[in-house]
Amino acid sequence: MNNTNQNFISVDGKTARNSYGDFFNVGDVVEHQDNEAGTATILSFEPSVEKNEVWANTDKGYAFIDFISKIS
């Protein structure tokens, strides 16, 4: 089994890594793959055990971290 393509969340819940190896932190400004969604600020992270994913809770709602990217 290849474990390198999995989402991870830190024990304190302030940092997460998506399956592409990108790291996100609480407070990061991100954009969603859906261009109409605009930008959002990460408020927290939550594991989704059912989906084997990590949710980013933002000021605009929730998104899986595999579908967001940091604003450069």
Side-chain angles (χ1 to χ4, degrees):
M1 182 172 153
N2 183 353
N3 291 330
T4 60
N5 294 333
Q6 294 182 0
N7 291 191
F8 288 95
I9 185 171
S10 65
V11 173
D12 65 4
K14 295 182 180 182
T15 302
R17 188 192 79 179
N18 67 15
S19 63
Y20 304 107
D22 302 317
F23 284 87
F24 298 93
N25 297 295
V26 169
D28 284 349
V29 177
V30 295
E31 60 187 357
H32 195 274
Q33 285 181 350
D34 177 1
N35 292 335
E36 293 182 21
T39 63
T41 302
I42 296 174
L43 304 174
S44 64
F45 297 102
E46 292 180 30
S48 172
V49 176
E50 303 83 32
K51 301 276 187 186
N52 198 27
E53 296 275 355
V54 174
W55 286 105
N57 175 22
T58 74
D59 60 345
K60 298 227 178 129
Y62 286 89
F64 288 123
I65 62 173
D66 277 343
F67 299 102
I68 60 174
S69 57
K70 284 187 194 181
I71 302 293
S72 301

